[in-house]
Amino acid sequence: MTLQPQHSVSEAERQHALGQVVTEGAFAAAATALTSGVILTALAMHLGASNLVIGVLASAPFLGQLLQAPAILIVERLRQRKLISVVSSLTGRAMMALMALSPFLPPELGIAALALAQLILCGMGAIGTCAWNAWMRDLAPEDRLGWVFSRRTSYAATVSLAAGIAAAIVLDRTTEGSAWRSIIFGALYGLGFLAGLVSAWLTSRIAEPAMPPRPEVQLGLFGLLREPLADRNFRRLTIFLASWQFAINLATPFFTVFIVRQLGFDMTFVMVLSVVSQLANLVALRNWGALADRFANKSVLLVAAPTYIVCIVAMVGASQMAHGPWLVAYLVVLHLFMGSAVAGATLATTSIALKLSPKGQATAYVATAGLATAVAAGVAPILGGAFADFFAARQFELLLRWTSPDGVAIVSPLRLSQWDFYFLIAGALGLYALHRLTLVREKGEIQRREMIQQVIHQTRRTARNLSTVAGLRTLTYLPATLLRDAEVRARFLRLQRRRIRQMRGATIPA
């Protein structure tokens, strides 16, 4: 095992390395699943953290991306991407051990330790990601980027799904606020620390192609960032990524708080929803990867991104429903759609930045996009946490008044409060992000309508492969058939009405 780059990588070594990339992703996903997302928010709530602290924890992965700026210079000067990735991974994963101790410290000290460890973990992750992205850009063939990352993400989603189920089971067996729950949190973060060590070890065994010789003229940070920003198409992509991340991170990090505090569900149900979303993510991921390779990442985004934005806005509907089975079903269906949509959006946003980066210059290009999105995505949840109390004291209610001889009846079909405002604001900002996406150009892109047809075809084929019952397969043809028939009938009626108008116009005397 060596951390030094290779001057040449054979095709056999390349194929073996790509397989190791997929395996490493599974252990990295285990470390992430056990220490972030719902688990991290649950631990923060267990320690009694405020909404502002929860917002800071949610923003840490994005604010940490600001370290990609010095990371660019480190990569360009050391030119040893594997070494940088392994060292940053070990340093960051060590913070998981500190996070495992936070439940056993005094509350204020535990919250401070959790926030500090999260910031260091995410900062080291950003440095490692900067080197990793440039490394993968030179290792994976361009026509297989979608396949490699979709397979890696599929394995990661499977592991995250298993970890989420296990975490839900063990947390369900403990009382909220009890000492046993503190022990469970410590165990989860301890296991995440061990999985992170295995991930770093596997990373050290992946082949790294040597970077081109260092140019005689050394550019500073602004010199490296100037070229990506001068690229008009990549600049448009950067603006889209920044606006997209701001829109979704204004509300998404607070889904757990919304479901627990505003809707009144327990943490176990939140974990179940997370598992449902991950399961949908896993099922949809391979189809998104195949479509991204066949057409373009932008075409995938034009379908996945609007779907996710609609799902965020649709969370408002949950606060309008009474607590019961219908609300549970509504949230489950919503998370199924969100899991599927976020799979396509995450895969496409990762791949499109790599694809639009010139070969050998991916470090500066990807890091430039990362810096822009880091600022946007990092500021959004902090603003959300800071203004949580402001919106909590405000409410918008739509009243309908009916007056009759029997009296006056007042009905309130819409009532918005606290997190509902965030979901609507995120939806409005998402529309702007989608507008910016339409300005980006990518080779192989197709129209949104064509991509939707391809998604339906892929979904239908997946359902056909999963089912051995002909009757169930037939059901997958029904919606598309009805849509085609309806479209044909609509065209026929429009043509018939046009002919009638023409005939009437011909009979009118001049």
Side-chain angles (χ1 to χ4, degrees):
M1 179 185 69
T2 177
L3 298 180
Q4 299 299 317
Q6 302 175 212
H7 291 290
S8 63
V9 178
S10 66
E11 186 60 28
E13 289 176 320
R14 190 182 303 275
Q15 294 301 322
H16 181 65
L18 293 178
Q20 290 178 314
V21 168
V22 175
T23 304
E24 183 275 333
F27 284 94
T32 302
L34 294 172
T35 59
S36 63
V38 175
I39 300 295
L40 178 62
T41 304
L43 175 57
M45 295 174 66
H46 174 72
L47 297 177
S50 64
N51 288 325
L52 180 58
V53 172
I54 293 175
V56 171
L57 292 173
S59 69
F62 307 105
L63 293 178
Q65 296 298 317
L66 295 176
L67 291 180
Q68 286 200 37
I72 298 174
L73 298 179
I74 295 174
V75 171
E76 291 295 328
R77 291 176 182 176
L78 289 183
R79 309 186 84 76
Q80 297 184 42
R81 297 165 293 189
K82 183 197 292 190
L83 175 64
I84 296 171
S85 296
V86 172
V87 172
S88 61
S89 176
L90 290 174
T91 305
R93 266 61 183 272
M95 292 298 101
M96 295 180 181
L98 176 59
M99 299 168 87
L101 296 176
S102 63
F104 308 102
L105 300 175
E108 293 184 358
L109 183 59
I111 293 174
L114 181 65
L116 177 63
Q118 173 73 348
L119 289 171
I120 296 176
L121 170 62
C122 295
M124 291 297 102
I127 294 175
T129 299
C130 181
W132 172 269
N133 285 335
W135 177 8
M136 291 301 106
R137 179 65 178 86
D138 292 344
L139 178 65
E142 184 172 311
D143 60 348
R144 298 188 64 196
L145 275 173
W147 181 87
V148 171
F149 281 102
S150 65
R151 191 176 181 191
R152 172 184 165 89
T153 312
S154 296
Y155 276 71
T158 303
V159 172
S160 298
L161 179 63
I165 294 175
I169 292 174
V170 295
L171 285 175
D172 189 42
R173 295 178 179 272
T174 60
T175 305
E176 186 174 350
S178 65
W180 274 108
R181 179 156 287 197
S182 297
I183 294 174
I184 292 301
F185 277 122
L188 291 175
Y189 277 82
L191 290 174
F193 169 67
L194 295 177
L197 293 181
V198 175
S199 170
W201 176 73
L202 289 172
T203 300
S204 68
R205 298 175 61 84
I206 300 173
E208 177 197 1
M211 295 179 65
R214 183 184 302 175
E216 295 182 2
V217 179
Q218 297 294 315
L219 296 177
L221 177 60
F222 292 104
L224 289 171
L225 298 181
R226 188 180 299 117
E227 187 172 356
L229 294 177
D231 186 329
R232 185 179 182 184
N233 194 43
F234 197 86
R235 185 171 65 248
R236 288 173 172 176
L237 173 65
T238 302
I239 296 174
F240 157 70
L241 293 175
S243 56
W244 163 255
Q245 289 292 339
F246 186 89
I248 64 175
N249 283 286
L250 183 67
T252 302
F254 299 101
F255 278 171
T256 298
V257 182
F258 167 72
I259 294 172
V260 172
R261 292 181 177 173
Q262 188 165 329
L263 299 185
F265 288 97
D266 56 24
M267 191 58 64
T268 303
F269 180 67
V270 177
M271 291 299 301
V272 171
L273 291 178
S274 177
V275 169
V276 168
S277 182
Q278 292 174 37
L279 183 59
N281 187 298
L282 178 63
V283 172
L285 198 56
R286 290 185 181 271
N287 289 338
W288 287 125
L291 291 172
D293 283 339
R294 183 179 177 186
F295 300 105
N297 296 288
K298 178 186 172 182
S299 302
V300 170
L301 281 170
L302 286 173
V303 176
T307 302
Y308 192 68
I309 291 296
V310 169
C311 289
I312 291 178
V313 176
M315 288 294 285
V316 174
S319 62
Q320 313 302 311
M321 302 173 65
H323 198 289
W326 285 108
L327 178 56
V328 171
Y330 181 80
L331 290 172
V332 168
V333 171
L334 207 56
H335 277 73
L336 282 172
F337 278 98
M338 281 194 291
S340 177
V342 78
T346 302
L347 175 66
T349 52
T350 301
S351 298
I352 193 172
L354 289 172
K355 188 175 179 180
L356 296 186
S357 304
K359 203 172 184 65
Q361 303 180 48
T363 303
Y365 273 73
V366 174
T368 300
L371 289 174
T373 57
V375 173
V379 170
I382 293 180
L383 289 177
F387 285 97
D389 294 334
F390 173 83
F391 285 108
R394 277 131 179 104
Q395 181 173 309
F396 174 82
E397 189 171 1
L398 181 63
L399 299 177
L400 299 179
R401 183 191 301 270
W402 171 259
T403 304
S404 68
D406 297 328
V408 178
I410 299 178
V411 181
S412 177
L414 179 65
R415 182 181 295 109
L416 303 179
S417 63
Q418 200 169 6
W419 303 114
D420 295 331
F421 294 109
Y422 286 93
F423 302 149
L424 294 177
I425 295 173
L429 295 173
L431 292 177
Y432 172 75
L434 294 176
H435 164 67
R436 300 302 310 184
L437 176 61
T438 61
L439 303 178
V440 178
R441 295 292 175 260
E442 183 187 6
K443 183 179 179 180
E445 64 181 88
I446 61 175
Q447 295 297 320
R448 181 185 302 175
R449 182 175 180 179
E450 296 178 61
M451 178 54 66
I452 292 175
Q453 292 173 348
Q454 292 295 329
V455 171
I456 294 175
H457 174 70
Q458 287 286 104
T459 305
R460 192 168 61 193
R461 187 169 63 180
T462 300
R464 184 166 64 247
N465 292 336
L466 292 174
S467 174
T468 58
V469 182
L472 293 179
R473 290 204 305 264
T474 304
L475 290 177
T476 63
Y477 291 95
L478 185 58
T481 302
L482 290 176
L483 289 174
R484 285 195 297 268
D485 290 346
E487 185 177 0
V488 171
R489 286 195 300 270
R491 289 180 179 177
F492 174 76
L493 291 175
R494 286 197 299 268
L495 180 61
Q496 191 177 44
R497 285 195 296 266
R498 188 180 301 117
R499 288 179 176 176
I500 292 174
R501 286 196 299 268
Q502 292 174 350
M503 294 175 61
R504 287 177 177 176
T507 58
I508 297 176

